[in-house]
Amino acid sequence: MEGVLILNKPKGYTSHDCVFKIRKLLKTKKVGHTGTLDPEVTGVLPICIGNATKIVEYLTAEEKTYVAEVTLGRSTTTEDQTGETVDAVVIDRKITIEEIEAVTKRLIGEIDQTPPMYSAVKINGKKLYEYARQGIEIERPTRKVTIHNIDIVEAQNVYEIGDDVKFTIRVTCSKGTYIRTLAVTIGEKLGFPAHMSSLVRTQSGIFTLNDAISFEQLEEMVQLDNVRDALIPIEKALRGLPALTINDTVAEKVKNGAVLPLPEEMKDEDLFVVYYEGKCLAIYMKHPTKEGLMKPRKVFHT
């Protein structure tokens, strides 16, 4: 059994919890997730099974889309609704949807983010949330992320003084973006403490909520012995990458992981999938030191 299962992750589960449960359901150890979702976050979580665990890093690198609720007037230790209150204020002026849109538009593009203390980022071999739970705050490296788009999904035209200010945004962003940190930044630019009060991942790479199944649906499929119907083949999962189709002469060399001449049509691509008779044989890359050659990153079928 191999392929990518698109799980609609429920609340209360870590990504690792999901992997553990799927291992038990499918009776296989070769299961891996494609990026951490916090327990309170729901939505699209691609799970790689069998030989597809070899493509985890390529699916993790894809851009993501989220729908998030931002609440102004209160900041928290975790930057989301699960944390303890750090600062709370009453909204003391009118806020319009045009003002919110102006702030979000300024955040589109490459921005700097500092990972929150309550996150799984490792520093000196230890996850940040482990330091946070011990009451230790350490310096975190700022990193660049890309916000491709922010849309206002739901908001009042005008929030009056003293209103409970909540609005919903849809964010498409690069790997490694913290939406809760983005919510805090939006609040700061509006002049108020803020936190992210809910989050759903609606898309990961080419996969959307329409592709996703629940644990209940998966359990039913296990009973009916038709889980394979829910698995997306490696070939389809990688269709976001450039493709190179080869002939049978080259196929044997690819299966053996050979360094080969780089075809003209791939000279502008850093990474591409090699297909033979519709089957994904490997992922190749431009050779880092030998011009005009390509070398394998992953070989799937030997």
Side-chain angles (χ1 to χ4, degrees):
M1 188 180 294
E2 75 172 33
V4 181
L5 177 75
I6 311 304
L7 180 69
N8 188 349
K9 190 190 89 62
K11 272 190 179 183
Y13 282 76
T14 65
S15 297
H16 181 72
D17 292 337
C18 295
V19 167
F20 181 75
K21 184 164 184 173
I22 289 171
R23 278 177 181 155
K24 287 183 69 176
L25 281 171
L26 303 188
K27 297 180 172 59
T28 178
K29 289 183 178 180
K30 291 189 75 175
V31 178
H33 67 76
T34 59
T36 302
L37 281 181
D38 293 334
E40 290 299 302
V41 179
T42 65
V44 177
L45 180 63
I47 303 283
C48 295
I49 296 161
N51 215 25
T53 52
K54 292 182 178 180
I55 68 170
V56 163
E57 64 182 287
Y58 306 107
L59 301 187
T60 304
E62 298 277 9
E63 69 179 34
K64 317 286 195 299
T65 300
Y66 299 88
V67 172
E69 183 184 69
V70 180
T71 296
L72 300 188
R74 185 169 76 93
S75 60
T76 71
T77 52
T78 57
E79 302 185 346
D80 65 11
Q81 77 279 19
T82 66
E84 297 175 5
T85 299
V86 173
D87 189 17
V89 301
V90 175
I91 304 301
D92 59 1
R93 65 174 180 83
K94 286 185 179 181
I95 300 172
T96 65
I97 189 171
E98 289 81 11
E99 186 180 358
I100 296 169
E101 285 178 335
V103 164
T104 58
K105 282 179 182 176
R106 291 204 302 271
L107 291 169
I108 293 173
E110 191 176 70
I111 63 170
D112 291 326
Q113 273 198 339
T114 302
M117 276 303 301
Y118 282 88
S119 65
V121 173
K122 280 189 174 180
I123 298 211
N124 298 327
K126 195 171 177 179
K127 292 177 179 176
L128 281 174
Y129 67 73
E130 293 175 317
Y131 289 109
R133 286 171 183 169
Q134 295 172 349
I136 302 169
E137 181 157 351
I138 63 171
E139 189 174 340
R140 290 102 71 198
T142 296
R143 60 189 183 186
K144 293 192 179 298
V145 298
T146 302
I147 307 298
H148 299 290
N149 199 38
I150 306 178
D151 292 317
I152 308 294
V153 176
E154 187 177 345
Q156 293 176 205
N157 286 326
V158 180
Y159 295 91
E160 300 291 346
I161 294 171
D163 275 357
D164 186 16
V165 180
K166 296 175 185 285
F167 52 88
T168 304
I169 58 175
R170 182 185 297 109
V171 182
T172 300
C173 56
S174 65
K175 168 192 172 185
T177 303
Y178 282 94
I179 306 300
R180 48 197 161 114
T181 302
L182 183 66
V184 171
T185 301
I186 291 170
E188 287 173 349
K189 291 188 178 298
L190 288 167
F192 296 96
H195 69 278
M196 182 191 76
S197 38
S198 72
L199 184 65
V200 179
R201 183 195 277 168
T202 58
Q203 187 163 352
S204 180
I206 61 172
F207 306 119
T208 70
L209 275 174
N210 291 332
D211 303 310
I213 64 170
S214 65
F215 272 130
E216 290 74 21
Q217 289 171 303
L218 180 59
E219 287 164 356
E220 186 177 333
M221 286 179 166
V222 169
Q223 290 175 357
L224 296 173
D225 195 26
N226 64 355
V227 173
R228 283 178 174 80
D229 294 343
L231 298 183
I232 295 170
I234 290 174
E235 288 76 17
K236 187 176 179 181
L238 290 175
R239 70 175 185 261
L241 288 176
L244 173 67
T245 300
I246 59 173
N247 57 36
D248 53 359
T249 306
V250 181
E252 286 306 311
K253 295 176 181 177
V254 167
K255 289 177 184 178
N256 291 323
V259 172
L260 298 167
L262 179 67
E264 185 67 32
E265 65 267 32
M266 290 294 125
K267 285 190 175 175
D268 292 328
E269 307 294 347
D270 293 323
L271 207 65
F272 46 91
V273 186
V274 179
Y275 291 93
Y276 172 63
E277 294 184 340
K279 198 74 175 173
C280 170
L281 295 187
I283 294 177
Y284 264 70
M285 61 183 286
K286 281 196 291 191
H287 202 290
T289 58
K290 299 177 181 176
E291 192 173 347
L293 296 179
M294 64 181 192
K295 62 175 286 189
R297 277 284 298 271
K298 298 277 183 181
V299 177
F300 300 111
H301 298 280
T302 58

